[in-house]
Amino acid sequence: MARAMWTGVITFGLVSVPVGLYAATEEHAVRFHQLQRGTSDRIRNRRVNERTGEEVAGDDIVKGFEVGEGEYVVIEPEELDEIAPGRSRTIEISDFVELEEIESVYFDRTYYVAPRGGEYLKVYELLRAALAESGKVGIATLVMRGRQYLTALRAETQVLVLQTLHWADEVRDPGRELPELPSGRAGRGKELDMALQLVETLSGPWDPSRYHDTYQEKVRELVRAKAEGQEITPAAEAPAATDVIDLMQVLQGSIDRARGGGRLEERGEPGAAASRRKTRKPSTAAAGKPRKTAGKAGRASGPKGSGAASKSELGRLSKAELYQRATDQDVAGRSRMSREQLIDALARAGRRRKRTAAA
């Protein structure tokens, strides 16, 4: 069971609910120790006095702000806590805004928000449902670990999610920071039409489980190969930049390859396609049984040719396949549905078609 990184209350208006924040993600990078070359001796980092070279205990270390050369103002931890009375344990929602109005560059870390007890579930769910129905996010500030954060509180299925945001003065202006940017937008032409066609060919529903960190896999393989004394195969070089003269030919070749079910590159590698091809053949279930696929009219082949799939049959499909079937059948609200909700919606749609056909 995860431990809360922060506890306090969320307030909106006069309503408040005690909550805890939990890390929503975890890193899986391969960790290395530092060694002295030619030995197995570990390298340790120590906190030492710059003047005397002696190691200093953690309790004897304080924060100092330099106001002049060699002159510091010393700040104690308690003094930092005193200047944020009451606010260090409060997430007070001041505004509600549309999620799409927040540019992606502002988002930083993500946390799950959970109620601190069963007695707070009703108020917690009330806030979650209000955010979900309105499609808005709550903007609030939060003091955690000696820093104040701007945050966005939004609703996911069954859970509230809090994302820390960068302050406005922390976001750089690309026009000033980047050496080269297009001076104008691409006009309508064959090249843009083909680029849009390629995007459409490679489009599909978002399924994060289909992507994985291939670099970390290669690092683990490198460690294993060196431990076993095997030869190491170097990685392939990055592809050359596309020449403007060859752009049409490259675009057409990309479209042809995508339509043929070919992979541009492995998932997780630079330049990889963003999602599942619509033309890809249906996958098979773990037990080796072929999965049912939707027909042109979006009807699943169910038992005895009923034209509607049962819940058990739908349950054997991946979320991506369920989403594609929901798209074929024009199920309303499908982009916001979980896998279970997609199954229920498709099952209901199948029953309606059976009743219509019987009538």
Side-chain angles (χ1 to χ4, degrees):
M1 183 71 69
R3 294 182 61 183
M5 304 177 60
W6 179 96
T7 58
V9 296
I10 292 176
T11 65
F12 60 112
L14 298 178
V15 180
S16 63
V17 53
V19 299
L21 295 189
Y22 298 81
T25 60
E26 60 182 1
E27 294 185 1
H28 58 202
V30 177
R31 300 294 182 183
F32 293 98
H33 295 299
Q34 291 183 318
L35 307 175
Q36 182 175 356
R37 187 182 297 278
T39 74
S40 296
D41 299 338
R42 292 276 301 275
I43 303 299
R44 302 287 184 181
N45 294 321
R46 295 179 177 178
R47 298 174 179 179
V48 298
N49 184 307
E50 187 180 64
R51 179 177 56 84
T52 65
E54 297 178 357
E55 189 171 355
V56 181
D59 292 341
D60 292 330
I61 297 176
V62 295
K63 295 179 183 291
F65 183 85
E66 190 171 18
V67 294
E69 188 173 351
E71 295 184 30
Y72 295 87
V73 174
V74 175
I75 304 294
E76 297 290 346
E78 310 84 63
E79 295 174 310
L80 292 173
D81 291 337
E82 287 174 359
I83 63 174
R87 295 187 59 81
S88 62
R89 294 298 172 193
T90 304
I91 301 174
E92 183 178 356
I93 299 176
S94 58
D95 304 284
F96 292 94
V97 303
E98 298 288 345
L99 177 60
E100 57 266 24
E101 291 183 5
I102 306 175
E103 298 175 30
S104 59
V105 68
Y106 282 90
F107 289 99
D108 189 13
R109 292 184 176 272
T110 303
Y111 300 89
Y112 289 135
V113 182
R116 294 204 334 259
E119 63 268 35
Y120 309 120
L121 284 171
K122 183 174 181 179
V123 181
Y124 175 91
E125 173 56 20
L126 177 66
L127 175 57
R128 192 209 65 80
L131 291 174
E133 288 289 328
S134 65
K136 295 182 182 294
V137 297
I139 302 300
T141 56
L142 163 69
V143 176
M144 180 171 60
R145 295 178 176 175
R147 285 188 58 188
Q148 185 177 39
Y149 297 90
L150 183 65
T151 67
L153 185 72
R154 60 185 181 86
E156 291 286 358
T157 305
Q158 294 187 313
V159 68
L160 285 170
V161 170
L162 182 136
Q163 291 181 283
T164 58
L165 305 173
H166 293 290
W167 300 97
D169 59 0
E170 293 178 328
V171 177
R172 293 178 172 180
D173 181 352
R176 291 203 302 260
E177 301 292 338
L178 305 184
E180 294 290 342
L181 285 174
S183 58
R185 300 188 63 172
R188 176 63 64 179
K190 289 185 177 179
E191 292 174 347
L192 179 57
D193 289 341
M194 291 185 71
L196 291 171
Q197 189 176 353
L198 177 59
V199 170
E200 180 61 27
T201 304
L202 298 175
S203 293
W206 165 241
D207 182 4
S209 65
R210 296 178 52 246
Y211 307 89
H212 56 279
D213 188 342
T214 58
Y215 175 70
Q216 293 301 320
E217 292 176 357
K218 290 177 180 177
V219 171
R220 292 186 178 90
E221 177 62 22
L222 170 63
V223 172
R224 186 196 62 78
K226 292 201 71 173
E228 297 177 358
Q230 297 180 3
E231 184 178 349
I232 301 168
T233 304
E237 294 184 3
T242 300
D243 194 314
V244 175
I245 299 175
D246 302 326
L247 185 56
M248 289 288 289
Q249 181 180 352
V250 172
L251 284 169
Q252 186 60 59
S254 300
I255 293 171
D256 294 342
R257 188 168 187 174
R259 285 176 173 171
R263 299 167 71 90
L264 295 181
E265 293 182 44
E266 289 297 320
R267 302 297 183 192
E269 292 291 332
S275 54
R276 184 187 303 268
R277 280 91 170 125
K278 291 183 177 180
T279 56
R280 186 173 294 172
K281 294 181 179 180
S283 59
T284 57
K289 297 180 181 179
R291 289 171 173 160
K292 304 291 191 293
T293 56
K296 291 183 178 180
R299 310 184 78 183
S301 55
K304 299 181 181 179
S306 64
S310 65
K311 270 194 171 185
S312 61
E313 291 173 315
L314 292 169
R316 292 197 293 267
L317 302 181
S318 67
K319 185 176 179 181
E321 291 167 325
L322 290 167
Y323 184 88
Q324 183 59 56
R325 189 167 294 192
T327 301
D328 294 337
Q329 298 182 23
D330 197 23
V331 174
R334 58 188 177 274
S335 63
R336 298 187 299 273
M337 291 182 181
S338 64
R339 184 174 181 276
E340 290 70 24
Q341 289 170 328
L342 285 168
I343 291 173
D344 290 340
L346 288 167
R348 287 195 301 271
R351 289 194 294 270
R352 284 196 298 269
R353 288 199 306 276
K354 287 182 70 175
R355 287 196 297 268
T356 302

